[in-house]
């Protein structure tokens, strides 16, 4: 989206036609997903409608299935092709920008595909919020001890930003919600964070990582370092240290991998499956194919040599790379000089719940309330468009003035349930 936004500003309609192919008609600002799950920000306010911000582009909502760069053709399916029975659509191009991002990196853990819940999309964030509140309702209304214990046990796998922030925000939300349950208390809930390495949040540094562990454990959250998930069959999470947790909630945030379209192309890739890019963000060995973001292996030339380590797959790099990429595409079309991608790291910020956080920003380390404020200020400055900034601030203001909403709208996932019940063809939506 950022690349297209910059291209439409710099290229006239006479120079180029910009076609944006995306499976969703919006871009998700992922750093705000934890607050969406906690109910602090409305789901619609963390997404940016592509058609609104890219009026000079042709936005095609569809899924790229294959890319044949030798023929300069992308094979795409859309909602229309599916309904019309046409199958696939071939789209020819002159210049390709392939920035599909990443998907959750799953492992062959027994039961994971059936029981796991991801945390990369706004739909997953809303679904997880509804799911957690639904578990509180289950625990409150059952006399079966085993069912109650499983409902009140929440296991998160992965100690990076996604896992720690999602756990911190949801635990905070659930702790508030149980005030309104007559037979569920905060001590009844068990929250478990499983991390295979010996530290969490490595991006904020070792000192703040240790502080985060102490902060979480101080909230009675079971943080297990150097531990792996061995199995989650039959709603039982089995860990490598021998622990077993009957649970109805298993959130998987243990890393990402490039989008499958990367493998379905004839473009060069690294051993880890990412697109092999040069420091100018060209795909290696091509003149008219470019890449950026999570799916790209971009050399971090600020670390030393041009063949040094890769830039980390995070939003900070993706946004900055997109701008350099767009400038280089324009320069290439006009025969001007292109530039290498260089960056000065701003640092990292993480929320651990309401009024709690850690930040290592511009060389300063912050903890607690000040870090939480810095987290909000930093991401508010980065979320695109004035419209979205204003809506996020309005959400925060209302959340500060009024009590949290603790209602679960699980029926959103099956909106026809009520009508099917009325028509006698479906189940009771309240059952």
């Amino acid at each position: 989206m950022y690349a297209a936004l910059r291209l439409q500003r710099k290229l006239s309609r006479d120079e180029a036609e910009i076609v944006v192919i995306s499976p969703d008609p919006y871009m998700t600002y992922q750093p705000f997903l934890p607050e969406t799950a906690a109910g602090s920000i409305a789901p619609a306010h963390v997404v940016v409608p592509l058609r609104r911000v890219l009026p000079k582009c042709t936005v095609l909502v569809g899924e790229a299935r294959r890319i044949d760069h030798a023929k300069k053709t992308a094979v795409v399916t859309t909602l229309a092709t599916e309904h019309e029975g046409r199958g696939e659509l071939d789209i020819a191009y002159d210049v390709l920008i392939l920035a599909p991002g990443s998907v959750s990196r799953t492992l062959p853990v027994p039961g994971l595909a059936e029981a796991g819940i991801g945390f990369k999309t706004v739909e997953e964030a809303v679904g997880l919020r509804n799911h957690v509140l639904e578990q509180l309702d289950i625990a409150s209304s059952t006399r079966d001890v085993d069912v109650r214990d499983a409902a009140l046990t929440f296991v998160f796998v992965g100690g990076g930003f996604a896992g720690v922030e999602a756990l911190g925000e949801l635990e905070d939300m659930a702790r508030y919600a149980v005030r309104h349950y007559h037979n569920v208390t905060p001590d009844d809930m068990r929250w478990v964070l499983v991390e295979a390495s010996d530290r969490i949040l490595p991006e904020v540094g070792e000192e703040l990582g240790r502080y985060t562990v102490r902060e979480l454990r101080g909230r009675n959250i079971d943080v297990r370092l150097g531990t792996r998930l061995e199995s989650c069959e039959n709603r039982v999470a089995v860990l490598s240290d021998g622990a077993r947790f009957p649970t109805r909630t298993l959130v998987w945030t243990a890393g990402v991998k490039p989008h499958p379209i990367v493998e379905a192309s004839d473009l060069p890739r690294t051993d880890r499956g990412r697109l092999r890019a040069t420091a100018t963000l060209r795909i290696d060995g091509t003149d008219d194919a470019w890449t950026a973001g999570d799916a790209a292996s971009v050399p971090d030339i600020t670390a030393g040599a041009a063949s040094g380590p890769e830039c980390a797959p995070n939003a900070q790099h993706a946004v900055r790379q997109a701008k350099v990429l767009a400038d280089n595409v324009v320069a290439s079309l006009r025969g001007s000089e292109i530039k290498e991608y260089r960056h000065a790291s701003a640092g990292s910020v993480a929320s651990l719940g309401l009024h709690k956080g850690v930040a290592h920003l511009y060389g300063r380390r912050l903890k607690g309330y000040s870090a939480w404020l810095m987290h909000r200020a930093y991401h508010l400055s980065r979320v695109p468009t004035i419209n979205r900034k204003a809506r996020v601030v309005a959400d925060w203001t209302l959340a500060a003035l009024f009590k949290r909403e603790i209602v679960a709208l699980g029926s959103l996932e099956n909106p026809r349930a009520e009508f099917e019940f009325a028509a006698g063809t479906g189940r009771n939506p309240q059952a």
Side-chain angles (χ1 to χ4, degrees), residues 85-353:
R86 286 195 293 157
E88 299 173 332
L89 182 67
D90 290 344
I91 297 180
Y93 61 81
D94 299 300
V95 177
L96 172 70
I97 297 175
L98 185 55
S102 58
V103 297
S104 295
R105 176 176 59 86
T106 59
L107 298 176
V109 176
L112 177 60
E114 295 75 24
I117 303 172
F119 198 75
K120 280 190 63 63
T121 67
V122 67
E123 293 85 359
E124 287 175 328
V126 174
L128 184 55
R129 170 185 169 80
N130 290 333
H131 175 81
V132 169
L133 291 172
E134 183 181 78
Q135 300 314 301
L136 301 183
D137 290 333
I138 290 173
S140 177
S141 58
T142 183
R143 295 183 178 180
D144 188 313
V145 176
D146 293 336
V147 171
R148 177 185 170 90
D149 288 347
L152 293 178
T153 300
F154 307 94
V155 179
F156 287 67
V157 182
F161 280 114
V164 172
E165 290 192 314
L167 184 150
E169 292 283 355
L170 284 165
E171 189 274 342
D172 208 36
M173 182 269 292
R175 181 179 292 270
Y176 175 87
V178 296
R179 299 179 186 179
H180 303 278
Y181 288 79
H182 70 283
N183 59 351
V184 180
T185 69
D187 291 338
D188 293 332
M189 296 186 292
R190 170 178 280 181
W191 296 80
V192 183
L193 176 63
V194 180
E195 167 56 39
S197 69
D198 60 354
R199 57 190 292 195
I200 63 174
L201 294 182
E203 298 87 351
V204 301
E206 188 173 352
E207 178 186 338
L208 290 179
R210 290 196 300 267
Y211 166 83
T212 302
V213 171
R214 293 196 302 270
E215 166 69 20
L216 295 178
R217 286 174 174 167
R219 291 159 58 179
N220 205 29
I221 295 173
D222 186 356
V223 179
R224 294 179 177 247
L225 303 178
T227 306
R228 299 180 307 278
L229 178 70
E230 298 284 355
S231 170
C232 52
E233 292 182 301
N234 302 318
R235 290 183 170 175
V236 177
V238 180
L239 307 185
S240 59
D241 61 3
R244 298 170 60 90
F245 297 104
T247 179
R248 297 171 59 91
T249 307
L250 184 94
V251 183
W252 180 268
T253 61
V256 296
K257 63 180 180 181
H259 191 282
I261 185 59
V262 172
E263 188 174 353
S265 74
D266 56 352
L267 295 164
R269 301 186 294 275
T270 66
D271 294 339
R272 300 178 63 183
R274 299 168 74 185
L275 291 164
R276 186 181 296 114
T278 66
T280 61
L281 302 173
R282 267 196 174 113
I283 297 179
D284 196 22
T286 71
D287 292 325
D288 41 26
W290 308 78
T291 186
D294 287 6
S297 173
V298 180
D300 185 357
I301 60 177
T302 61
S307 60
E310 301 175 354
C311 294
N314 57 35
Q316 186 177 148
H317 280 299
V319 171
R320 295 180 179 188
Q321 288 171 2
K323 294 177 181 178
V324 175
L325 183 155
D327 289 345
N328 282 347
V329 169
V330 173
S332 176
L333 293 176
R334 295 175 178 173
S336 303
E337 182 181 357
I338 62 176
K339 299 179 180 179
E340 294 181 329
Y341 171 69
R342 298 174 181 271
H343 75 98
S345 177
S348 302
V349 292
S351 169
L352 305 179

Side-chain angles (χ1 to χ4, degrees), residues 30-42:
Q30 291 188 352
F32 278 153
L33 290 183
E35 291 199 59
T36 299
S40 299
I41 302 178

Side-chain angles (χ1 to χ4, degrees), residues 66-75 89-93 266:
R66 296 184 304 280
I67 293 177
D68 188 342
H69 189 63
K71 297 180 179 179
K72 292 191 174 181
T73 302
V75 179
L89 182 67
D90 290 344
I91 297 180
Y93 61 81
D266 56 352

